[in-house]
Amino acid sequence: MIYIANSALLLFNVIYYREFTDFMTINVIFGYSSVSEGLSSSSFALLKPQDLIMLIDIIFIIVAFATRFIKFDKKPLPQRQAVAVSSFALLLIFFNLTLGEINRPQLLSRTFDRNYLVKYLGIDAFTFYDGIKTAKNNRVRSEASSSDLNKVLNFTQKHYAKPNSQMYGIAKGKNIIVIHLESFQQFLINYRLNGKEVTPFLNSLYNDKSTYSFANFFNQVGQGKTSDAENMLETSVYGLQQGSLFSALGTDNTFQGAPAILNQTQGYSSAVFHGNKGSFWNRNSVYKNLGYQYFFDSSYFNTDSNNLTEYGLKDKLLFHDSVKYLERLQQPFYAKFITVSNHFPYTIDQKNTDFKAADTGDSSVDNYFVTAHYLDQSVKEFFDYLKKSGLYNNSMIVLYGDHYGISNSRNLKLASLLGKSSSTWTDFDNTQLQRVPFMIHIPGQKNGGIQQQYGGEIDVLPTLLHLAGIDTSSYIQFGTDLFSKQHDQVVAFRNENFVTPNYTVVDGNIYDNKTGVQITHPSTALANKIKSESNKVNTELSLSDSLNNKNLLRFYIPNGFTPVDPKNYNYKNDFGQITKLQQQLGTSSTSLWSRNGNKTTIDDYTSDAPELNTTDSNEKNESSASSSISTNSSSSSSVDKR
């Protein structure tokens, strides 16, 4: 029976994966609604002839027992033999797990993609692991009640910062375009390597008077890295102490995120563009809970091998190939672009760059400047398109670095390039390098410039919502508006360290920000101040963890907010859905396509990407796009039924 059940588990996962590009979790297996959705009778049409391989052995075993070709042996297995077999099996499991950890560090703790867990550990190990994790989560949630929310509400309401009247609503009604700069650190801005600017376009944007650029903005991610950054950006709630919130809890948690808030208050449509698999970081589930209407993952792009980096579509191709979808979105829209080319181990083929690498002896540090330069070029091309197409003047464009690119273990190699000595490098220096860019570019504004206030990713959502003219006082948010006079400048890190405009605290050690020198004998006043701020940081992180782990937002609905129903979204036919909506709206459609006389703006996009500038590549891209459009359009009826 165990053997038959195991084969059934494998078969059902094959069917489920073909339908949803994901593996069945314990909640899907035992949840009636999920099973009926994931394994409906129509899904069995996805079976293929080769799937019989998974059933032939079962049929053979049944026939063999029925004909007594194989007989049950009622004698117990000798104890020594049983112990030997079990020990050998455990050794193989441990060996396999070790290989997986070597290839993908923190495979179990971060769980950034169920595909990787199954790849390295197998479907059985994944199901067992997911079962343990689910049981733990369910126990915590079953014991939670609405009263657990009181401490969270008290904290966030007292912590709330009123908007700056001069900034409130200055971007109301504008499209909001978020550009996620993968692994991009602040020190790259205005940096020259061998006399050449690494990021000339981003430098010009950073120093533009139409840009509010933050010089002291820090990443606050934990093990969830990119997914933590996205979570804070969208919800103003911290990631988990261990692992990724998106992966561990994102499928079932309740969110009150930017896409839903913008849609319900001001009618924004929303979309994400990402040239990787939708299952990575569990995005294809989490985005639905956040209220994203459309998610254009790798299945919507030409993913020939020469178009890819290790983590997805090259940035120039992502921006270029997203235009045919972006131009169809109803305005105002909230659109996020997740770049991947500037990702460890920082490799890009020679035909895409002529920028000379550094020479520190560490290839990841040396090539970091090369891929950052490529990212800079990609963003410039996209900005040029926005200006030519007419989207630019009616948009607020937000750029942010999600987390560090060079890890602490490699900072000693980086030190000399920053004019520092590796022999005097300290934890203070590591902490200062957690700065990442945060820029809010609003065309037409002349009062921008470099902002000195301290802040972090947790502060992005209330800041953007206030700029869009949306009151955030009724929402549960741990960040505060960066422009508010009441903005909290204590920046908490996930490991409970923190930084303020004057001091940096790492593992209880206090450093003076001006000198970088450790204060070994702080005054009583300073010691009390640091203790108070440390308690506040610990409380804030603890309350955020309670909110996430107990899924407390299910007990709280802000005024005027309708909880998101993820069943309203199906990302398999997004192009068909937006074109169908556009046709239904007719002359009232606000999409760029409609306002351009039902003509595409793809020709407004100029790129020097070699993959786009050869006859073969163009023909291949056009073929791929046509195929994608045709496939999506033809499948619209089945999507509507679901």
Side-chain angles (χ1 to χ4, degrees):
M1 291 302 296
I2 294 177
Y3 188 82
I4 293 174
N6 191 256
S7 297
L9 177 67
L10 179 61
L11 179 62
F12 289 150
N13 267 285
V14 168
I15 298 171
Y16 192 83
Y17 192 89
R18 286 175 184 155
E19 182 73 6
F20 296 101
T21 322
D22 202 358
F23 294 101
M24 297 174 65
T25 63
I26 292 297
N27 285 334
V28 169
I29 294 173
F30 291 104
Y32 173 78
S33 61
S34 297
V35 173
S36 63
E37 176 188 1
L39 296 176
S40 60
S41 58
S42 62
S43 295
F44 283 92
L46 296 170
L47 282 169
K48 297 181 179 180
Q50 57 265 35
D51 295 337
L52 286 173
I53 295 175
M54 290 178 278
L55 301 176
I56 288 176
D57 55 347
I58 296 177
I59 296 173
F60 173 77
I61 290 172
I62 293 174
V63 172
F65 275 118
T67 59
R68 293 186 176 276
F69 181 78
I70 298 177
K71 299 179 181 180
F72 284 104
D73 187 354
K74 297 182 179 180
K75 292 184 296 184
L77 195 67
Q79 185 175 6
R80 182 176 297 179
Q81 187 176 347
V83 171
V85 172
S86 299
S87 299
F88 182 69
L90 289 173
L91 180 64
L92 283 179
I93 292 174
F94 179 76
F95 179 70
N96 189 46
L97 179 59
T98 301
L99 291 179
E101 281 289 332
I102 291 174
N103 195 278
R104 289 285 175 185
Q106 298 177 311
L107 180 66
L108 292 178
S109 61
R110 294 176 68 192
T111 60
F112 45 83
D113 193 344
R114 285 194 275 266
N115 283 292
Y116 284 115
L117 284 173
V118 174
K119 175 182 177 180
Y120 292 115
L121 303 182
I123 194 68
D124 294 335
F126 161 72
T127 305
F128 179 74
Y129 169 79
D130 183 68
I132 294 176
K133 185 179 69 175
T134 301
K136 180 180 178 181
N137 291 341
N138 289 344
R139 180 180 60 80
V140 171
R141 289 162 187 245
S142 65
E143 296 172 354
S145 66
S146 58
S147 61
D148 294 327
L149 193 61
N150 292 337
K151 290 182 179 180
V152 177
L153 278 170
N154 289 337
F155 178 88
T156 55
Q157 288 173 358
K158 290 179 180 178
H159 195 230
Y160 169 74
K162 295 180 181 179
N164 183 327
S165 60
Q166 295 181 334
M167 301 296 294
Y168 187 77
I170 65 172
K172 186 173 184 178
K174 289 182 177 288
N175 300 316
I176 301 175
I177 301 174
V178 177
I179 300 178
H180 176 111
L181 303 173
E182 173 63 41
S183 304
F184 198 100
Q185 291 177 242
Q186 176 69 17
F187 76 83
L188 288 169
I189 298 295
N190 294 329
Y191 184 83
R192 289 178 177 269
L193 182 65
N194 300 320
K196 186 176 181 180
E197 285 183 287
V198 178
T199 58
F201 177 72
L202 290 175
N203 294 348
S204 66
L205 203 62
Y206 183 80
N207 295 294
D208 194 306
K209 286 299 181 182
S210 294
T211 305
Y212 297 89
S213 304
F214 294 82
N216 298 301
F217 183 86
F218 293 79
N219 86 78
Q220 298 171 281
V221 305
Q223 290 180 329
K225 296 292 181 64
T226 295
S227 66
D228 280 359
E230 284 192 80
N231 174 63
M232 285 184 280
L233 180 86
E234 305 286 12
T235 69
S236 192
V237 176
Y238 290 96
L240 299 177
Q241 188 175 24
Q242 291 183 329
S244 162
L245 172 65
F246 271 26
S247 298
L249 304 174
T251 301
D252 304 308
N253 261 27
T254 300
F255 295 98
Q256 293 164 8
I261 295 171
L262 287 165
N263 174 258
Q264 294 182 26
T265 57
Q266 296 189 1
Y268 275 71
S269 62
S270 56
V272 182
F273 302 89
H274 183 40
N276 202 338
K277 292 181 180 179
S279 61
F280 200 84
W281 286 127
N282 197 29
R283 288 185 174 103
N284 51 3
S285 294
V286 181
Y287 285 165
K288 294 176 183 178
N289 289 337
L290 287 169
Y292 269 113
Q293 296 171 330
Y294 311 108
F295 178 24
F296 298 97
D297 65 358
S298 60
S299 64
Y300 287 89
F301 301 101
N302 178 4
T303 53
D304 285 351
S305 58
N306 64 315
N307 290 350
L308 301 177
T309 64
E310 185 172 351
Y311 286 88
L313 199 66
K314 295 173 184 174
D315 295 342
K316 289 184 180 181
L317 304 183
L318 171 70
F319 285 120
H320 175 274
D321 294 350
S322 295
V323 166
K324 59 179 173 283
Y325 307 123
L326 182 70
E327 66 184 2
R328 303 274 186 156
L329 291 178
Q330 296 301 307
Q331 300 184 75
F333 57 70
Y334 175 69
K336 180 168 64 176
F337 292 82
I338 303 176
T339 65
V340 298
S341 296
N342 191 49
H343 195 296
F344 183 86
Y346 311 112
T347 56
I348 193 79
D349 46 295
Q350 289 296 320
K351 64 182 180 181
N352 269 292
T353 183
D354 58 357
F355 195 84
K356 187 177 179 181
D359 185 22
T360 66
D362 186 312
S363 61
S364 63
V365 175
D366 296 343
N367 292 324
Y368 181 62
F369 300 92
V370 179
T371 53
H373 184 74
Y374 173 82
L375 172 57
D376 180 77
Q377 293 177 319
S378 306
V379 175
K380 181 182 184 303
E381 290 181 354
F382 183 57
F383 263 74
D384 289 342
Y385 161 75
L386 293 176
K387 293 176 180 178
K388 290 181 181 179
S389 66
L391 286 175
Y392 176 77
N393 288 327
N394 190 39
S395 298
M396 173 170 66
I397 307 162
V398 180
L399 304 96
Y400 82 107
D402 60 340
H403 55 76
Y404 62 83
I406 307 300
S407 64
N408 288 351
S409 62
R410 288 183 163 87
N411 280 342
L412 294 181
K413 289 287 186 179
L414 180 66
S416 61
L417 296 178
L418 302 180
K420 294 180 177 290
S421 170
S422 59
S423 62
T424 59
W425 194 269
T426 66
D427 287 338
F428 170 81
D429 298 299
N430 287 332
T431 304
Q432 300 311 305
L433 277 182
Q434 301 313 306
R435 283 181 174 84
V436 291
F438 181 53
M439 294 179 263
I440 302 173
H441 184 73
I442 308 177
Q445 288 294 317
K446 300 300 181 183
N447 299 318
I450 299 175
Q451 313 292 304
Q452 296 299 329
Q453 59 267 46
Y454 276 56
E457 289 162 338
I458 202 73
D459 302 313
V460 172
L461 182 60
T463 303
L464 296 185
L465 291 181
H466 284 172
L467 291 175
I470 298 172
D471 180 11
T472 65
S473 59
S474 63
Y475 294 98
I476 291 178
Q477 297 174 351
F478 287 92
T480 56
D481 184 348
L482 288 162
F483 295 108
S484 172
K485 295 178 181 179
Q486 300 171 345
H487 167 61
D488 183 0
Q489 296 195 70
V490 177
V491 183
F493 298 118
R494 189 55 265 198
N495 58 9
E496 299 181 356
N497 294 330
F498 61 93
V499 61
T500 74
N502 298 313
Y503 304 102
T504 296
V505 179
V506 182
D507 298 332
N509 298 317
I510 307 170
Y511 296 88
D512 186 294
N513 283 355
K514 292 182 179 179
T515 64
V517 175
Q518 182 178 349
I519 302 174
T520 55
H521 297 88
S523 65
T524 301
L526 177 58
N528 290 336
K529 180 179 178 61
I530 295 300
K531 182 179 180 180
S532 174
E533 291 174 339
S534 179
N535 289 338
K536 179 260 177 187
V537 165
N538 294 341
T539 298
E540 186 173 5
L541 293 172
S542 176
L543 290 174
S544 177
D545 286 342
S546 178
L547 183 79
N548 288 323
N549 290 321
K550 297 179 180 180
N551 192 21
L552 296 180
L553 281 181
R554 61 188 155 139
F555 300 122
Y556 180 73
I557 302 177
N559 294 331
F561 185 81
T562 302
V564 173
D565 185 353
K567 293 180 182 178
N568 291 335
Y569 310 107
N570 187 321
Y571 297 143
K572 294 198 67 175
N573 185 39
D574 281 358
F575 188 80
Q577 292 181 57
I578 57 176
T579 53
K580 183 178 180 179
L581 174 61
Q582 185 174 266
Q583 293 167 358
Q584 292 173 342
L585 292 172
T587 56
S588 62
S589 172
T590 59
S591 70
L592 179 61
W593 169 284
S594 298
R595 292 184 172 180
N596 196 41
N598 293 335
K599 295 179 181 178
T600 185
T601 59
I602 292 178
D603 291 339
D604 290 328
Y605 205 108
T606 302
S607 175
D608 66 1
E611 297 85 0
L612 296 171
N613 290 312
T614 64
T615 302
D616 291 341
S617 293
N618 282 330
E619 291 177 352
K620 189 175 292 184
N621 284 336
E622 290 171 4
S623 174
S624 174
S626 299
S627 175
S628 173
I629 294 171
S630 175
T631 302
N632 287 327
S633 298
S634 64
S635 62
S636 60
S637 59
S638 62
V639 171
D640 291 340
K641 289 179 182 178
R642 279 201 296 270

